[in-house]
């Protein structure tokens, strides 16, 4: 995967999309609603919605205006990137944004012009062919017809993946870039930026999102230098850091993989785990797991789902070894084994998409009866027990549970129930890359919350999440995190260290030098077992330096 190409593409495409959307929004804001141009007469309600989203008391609201443009630009980036990945991996029945080999026009448009339009698409065929055949006036018939296909496809997938393809609002359609077919269009640039090689792994989606928000992250840290605290809405951009694949493997294999091997010592799973550490001293004291369904793993700060997608891979091998059929395995995994949550709606959406793609790639007919992953965007829901959750994230443990009813036809009830289940359950394994944020960067509410609830680890969010991680790990289960190294040395974490080393055992640790994670400080990938250490407790430790990595920043091997 060529990350430098992906970074350049994501940052450039964001700038271009923001500019294109801004130009369109500015145009609509200047229109006289009482005297719209003839081509927009039928879009009056959508134009009013655009105006309402950008103004307060009929005056331009700069914050609302900028947030709205950002939202719409990301919506189209999201759709284009998702469909490109699906095209490359033959998930779409007909390629939606990608052309056939040797062609420029998207395959779906080529097929439609020949009269082949899928029955799944809710499209006005008469209007489509009237525009195409120039029987009705249109500024750009081909682009208009292709937009009909593109939007109808997005709305079709909303029934299968509602988290990723929310039904597109009418005003969003108006703000879709005009040119989607030329060699200089946004669609073409997405194809060029996301090569088939880069789309070979669902991991590409997570990297693109991190690169897409990188400018916002830089802006947040510039403001932090001026003592501007990190607000809840900026926490995702400030704290999200994509975890290198080998670290994910190391943590998942020595938690989820370890637990299965302890219960099934003759399993061949070990042969598929490159970073698995064998137990030097066999033990009879471990969490008993009889069937694959009993293995549960949560990433409480799941980001775009990197940990969860690798855990999915490992779980498929476990289910296969136990004799389950290919058709039932992805559904069983999504229903029973994997859980995740994040305060960032976009990240949670991408995590849902990534796991769904894993399921669909594993079993071609998965969409026939698809199952949504157990991943939620953490929300307040207007209830007291979740008040402040956009600030506190999964650190918030609901106590006074209230009943919730947001309407009999609302999706919110199911999301509320799932969020409640995720935050009040315990798991066989907790694996995550938690947010890193020192006390000086925390806003007042977050600072007060961690001081009150986690006084021994309050100096940084990563340490607070270590403590929270043990709270949601089952006794004898495993908790694995990649954190800053400071918890091992600094006096501010002395009480926390004493508590951890007294009550929990370190199974294995990889101590990473500066820049191994791509950041200018040392980190530590630690796998804890939630049981008190005794005289026989041993841990396996590694020191990883920058020269232990290859040119792709993957580790050459644990030593």
């Amino acid at each position: 995967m060529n990350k430098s190409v992906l970074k350049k593409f994501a940052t450039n495409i964001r700038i271009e999309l923001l500019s294109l959307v801004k130009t369109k929004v500015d145009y609509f804001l200047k229109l006289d609603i009482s005297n719209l141009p003839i081509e927009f007469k039928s879009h009056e309600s959508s134009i009013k919605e655009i105006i309402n989203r950008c103004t307060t008391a009929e005056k331009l609201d700069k914050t609302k205006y900028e947030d709205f443009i950002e939202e719409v630009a990301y919506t189209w980036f999201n759709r284009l990137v998702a469909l490109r990945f699906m095209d490359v991996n033959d998930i779409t029945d007909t390629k939606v944004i990608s052309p056939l080999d040797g062609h420029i026009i998207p395959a779906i448009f080529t097929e439609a012009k020949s009269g082949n339009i899928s029955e799944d698409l809710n499209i006005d065929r008469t209007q489509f062919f009237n525009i195409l055949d120039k029987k009705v006036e249109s500024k750009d018939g081909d682009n208009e017809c292709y937009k009909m296909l593109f939007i109808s496809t997005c709305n079709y997938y909303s029934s299968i993946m509602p988290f990723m393809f929310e039904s597109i609002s009418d005003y969003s359609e108006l703000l879709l870039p005009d040119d989607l077919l030329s060699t200089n269009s946004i669609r073409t640039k997405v194809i060029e930026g996301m090569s088939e090689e880069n789309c070979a792994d669902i991991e590409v989606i997570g990297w693109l999102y991190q690169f897409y928000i990188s400018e916002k992250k830089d802006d947040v840290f510039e403001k932090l230098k001026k003592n501007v605290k990190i607000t809840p809405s900026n926490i995702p951009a400030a704290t999200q850091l994509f975890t290198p694949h080998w670290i994910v493997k190391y943590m998942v294999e020595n938690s989820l993989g370890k637990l299965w091997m302890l219960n099934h010592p003759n399993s061949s799973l070990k042969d598929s785990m490159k970073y698995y550490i064998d137990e030097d001293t066999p033990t009879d004291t471990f969490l008993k797991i009889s069937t694959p369904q009993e293995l549960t793993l949560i990433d409480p700060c799941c980001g775009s789902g990197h940990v969860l997608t690798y855990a999915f891979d490992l779980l498929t091998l476990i289910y296969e070894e136990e004799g389950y059929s290919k058709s039932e395995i992805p559904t069983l995994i999504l229903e029973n084994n994997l859980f995740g949550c994040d305060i960032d709606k976009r990240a949670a959406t991408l995590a849902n998409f990534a796991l769904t793609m894993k399921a669909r790639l594993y079993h071609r007919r998965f969409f026939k009866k698809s199952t949504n992953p157990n991943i939620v965007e953490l929300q307040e829901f207007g209830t007291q027990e979740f008040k402040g959750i956009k600030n506190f994230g999964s650190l918030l443990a609901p106590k006074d549970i209230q009943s919730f009813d947001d309407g009999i036809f609302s999706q919110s009830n199911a999301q509320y129930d799932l969020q409640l289940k995720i935050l009040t359950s315990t798991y066989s394994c907790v694996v995550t890359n938690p947010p890193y944020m020192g006390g000086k960067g925390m806003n007042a509410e977050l600072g007060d919350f961690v001081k009150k609830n986690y006084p021994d680890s309050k100096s940084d969010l990563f340490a607070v999440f270590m403590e929270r991680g043990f709270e949601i790990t089952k006794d004898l289960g495993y908790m694995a995190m990649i954190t800053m190294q400071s918890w091992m040395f600094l006096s501010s974490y002395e009480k926390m260290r004493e508590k951890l080393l007294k009550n929990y055992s370190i199974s294995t640790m990889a101590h990473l030098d500066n820049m191994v994670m791509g950041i200018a400080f040392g980190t530590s990938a630690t796998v804890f077992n939630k049981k008190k250490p005794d005289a026989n407790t041993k841990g396996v430790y590694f020191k990883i330096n920058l020269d232990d990595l290859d040119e792709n920043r993957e580790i050459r091997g644990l030593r």
Side-chain angles (χ1 to χ4, degrees), residues 435-453:
Y436 305 170
M437 184 194 295
K440 290 182 179 179
M442 297 180 195
N443 57 66
E445 292 79 9
L446 181 57
D448 290 343
F449 178 88
V450 299
K451 287 172 187 173
K452 176 183 176 182
N453 295 284

Side-chain angles (χ1 to χ4, degrees), residues 340-463:
C341 57
D342 204 286
I343 59 173
D344 183 1
K345 179 179 180 178
R346 295 176 182 177
T349 295
L350 294 177
N352 270 294
F353 178 69
L355 270 187
T356 302
M357 290 299 99
K358 278 286 185 181
R360 169 59 180 75
L361 289 167
Y362 181 79
H363 181 52
R364 280 195 67 84
R365 298 181 62 82
F366 176 74
F367 282 171
K368 296 296 181 183
K369 193 180 178 182
S370 61
T371 301
N372 289 336
N374 288 312
I375 300 173
V376 295
E377 171 211 354
L378 296 172
Q379 302 176 65
E380 291 197 358
F381 290 104
T383 60
Q384 194 60 36
E385 71 267 34
F386 291 133
K387 186 177 180 181
I389 201 163
K390 282 294 184 186
N391 207 3
F392 312 140
S394 52
L395 295 174
L396 195 154
K399 294 181 176 65
D400 300 320
I401 310 302
Q402 303 172 1
S403 60
F404 178 77
D405 184 6
D406 194 32
I408 193 168
F409 299 111
S410 175
Q411 292 296 316
S412 298
N413 297 309
Q415 287 299 100
Y416 172 88
D417 291 341
L418 180 55
Q419 178 169 303
L420 191 61
K421 177 183 177 181
I422 284 173
L423 293 178
T424 55
S425 300
T426 55
Y427 302 86
S428 312
C429 305
V430 177
V431 184
T432 194
N433 181 353
Y436 305 170
M437 184 194 295
K440 290 182 179 179
M442 297 180 195
N443 57 66
E445 292 79 9
L446 181 57
D448 290 343
F449 178 88
V450 299
K451 287 172 187 173
K452 176 183 176 182
N453 295 284
Y454 299 96
D456 296 337
S457 54
K458 63 188 178 187
S459 297
D460 199 289
L461 274 187
F462 83 80

Side-chain angles (χ1 to χ4, degrees), residues 53-154:
R53 291 292 304 271
C54 297
T55 58
T56 300
E58 299 185 359
K59 290 184 179 181
L60 186 70
D61 184 318
K62 185 180 178 183
T63 300
K64 287 176 66 176
Y65 167 77
E66 290 177 352
D67 287 349
F68 178 65
I69 290 171
E70 180 77 54
E71 174 194 310
V72 175
Y74 181 75
T75 294
W76 294 125
F77 171 79
N78 204 28
R79 301 291 193 274
L80 289 163
V81 163
L83 288 169
R84 171 59 176 169
F85 179 86
M86 293 166 69
D87 281 352
V88 170
N89 289 282
D90 295 325
I91 292 171
T92 47
D93 292 332
T94 306
K95 296 183 189 303
V96 180
I97 73 166
S98 310
L100 297 172
D101 290 343
H103 292 73
I104 297 174
I105 295 174
I108 196 172
F109 191 34
T110 302
E111 289 286 310
K113 288 198 295 182
S114 301
N116 299 320
I117 300 177
S118 171
E119 293 296 325
D120 292 330
L121 301 185
N122 183 19
I123 209 166
D124 186 332
R125 284 167 171 75
T126 301
Q127 183 187 14
F128 179 88
F129 287 109
N130 281 342
I131 295 172
L132 194 65
D133 297 336
K134 297 181 171 55
K135 291 180 180 179
V136 297
E137 189 176 342
S138 173
K139 285 185 177 180
D140 187 341
D142 280 3
N143 263 300
E144 193 168 335
C145 286
Y146 174 63
K147 282 183 185 181
M148 292 172 68
L149 294 166
F150 178 79
I151 291 167
S152 295
T153 301
C154 289

Side-chain angles (χ1 to χ4, degrees), residues 122-396:
N122 183 19
I123 209 166
D124 186 332
R125 284 167 171 75
T126 301
Q127 183 187 14
F128 179 88
F129 287 109
N130 281 342
I131 295 172
L132 194 65
D133 297 336
K134 297 181 171 55
K135 291 180 180 179
V136 297
E137 189 176 342
S138 173
K139 285 185 177 180
D140 187 341
D142 280 3
N143 263 300
E144 193 168 335
C145 286
Y146 174 63
K147 282 183 185 181
M148 292 172 68
L149 294 166
F150 178 79
I151 291 167
S152 295
T153 301
C154 289
N155 288 335
Y156 163 69
Y157 280 114
S158 71
S159 63
I160 299 172
M161 293 177 277
F163 44 81
M164 188 70 175
F165 292 93
E166 292 175 319
S167 189
I168 294 170
S169 304
D170 291 340
Y171 66 79
S172 295
E173 292 185 27
L174 283 180
L175 300 174
L176 181 60
D178 290 325
D179 176 22
L180 291 175
L181 293 176
S182 78
T183 54
N184 197 41
S185 67
I186 285 287
R187 179 193 62 85
T188 303
K189 290 173 182 175
V190 168
I191 293 168
E192 293 169 349
M194 295 177 67
S195 67
E196 293 194 5
E197 180 186 357
N198 282 339
C199 289
D201 195 319
I202 188 60
E203 183 184 332
V204 68
I205 300 294
W207 279 111
L208 283 173
Y209 181 51
Q210 179 161 310
F211 295 144
Y212 187 89
I213 63 172
S214 59
E215 284 193 354
K216 186 173 183 180
K217 183 171 188 171
D218 293 342
D219 180 59
V220 170
F221 280 106
E222 278 300 313
K223 289 178 179 176
L224 193 57
K225 292 176 183 177
K226 300 173 184 176
N227 204 32
V228 178
K229 301 296 183 183
I230 298 172
T231 62
S233 62
N234 284 331
I235 289 174
T239 60
Q240 282 176 6
L241 183 67
F242 203 79
T243 318
H245 198 49
W246 74 267
I247 296 176
V248 170
K249 285 185 172 184
Y250 171 77
M251 293 193 299
V252 173
E253 289 173 3
N254 289 293
S255 54
L256 183 74
K258 173 63 65 70
L259 202 47
W260 186 254
M261 290 304 304
L262 287 171
N263 283 274
H264 300 80
N266 296 322
S267 169
S268 62
L269 182 67
K270 184 165 62 174
D271 300 335
S272 302
M273 297 190 292
K274 183 178 180 181
Y275 304 108
Y276 180 74
I277 312 300
D278 255 326
E279 289 279 325
D280 284 342
T281 308
T283 176
D284 294 327
T285 309
F286 52 83
L287 182 62
K288 300 299 188 284
I289 300 290
S290 299
T291 66
Q293 290 98 313
E294 294 171 35
L295 278 171
T296 54
L297 181 147
I298 186 173
D299 185 338
C301 326
C302 70
S304 55
H306 197 181
V307 166
L308 297 172
T309 54
Y310 182 62
F312 181 95
D313 291 342
L314 216 53
L315 285 161
T316 60
L317 298 177
I318 292 171
Y319 275 98
E320 286 173 351
E321 188 174 77
E322 291 296 290
Y324 289 79
S325 69
K326 193 178 184 74
S327 61
E328 64 181 331
I329 287 174
T331 297
L332 287 170
I333 291 174
L334 296 191
E335 286 181 344
N336 299 290
N337 301 113
L338 299 178
F339 300 83
C341 57
D342 204 286
I343 59 173
D344 183 1
K345 179 179 180 178
R346 295 176 182 177
T349 295
L350 294 177
N352 270 294
F353 178 69
L355 270 187
T356 302
M357 290 299 99
K358 278 286 185 181
R360 169 59 180 75
L361 289 167
Y362 181 79
H363 181 52
R364 280 195 67 84
R365 298 181 62 82
F366 176 74
F367 282 171
K368 296 296 181 183
K369 193 180 178 182
S370 61
T371 301
N372 289 336
N374 288 312
I375 300 173
V376 295
E377 171 211 354
L378 296 172
Q379 302 176 65
E380 291 197 358
F381 290 104
T383 60
Q384 194 60 36
E385 71 267 34
F386 291 133
K387 186 177 180 181
I389 201 163
K390 282 294 184 186
N391 207 3
F392 312 140
S394 52
L395 295 174
L396 195 154

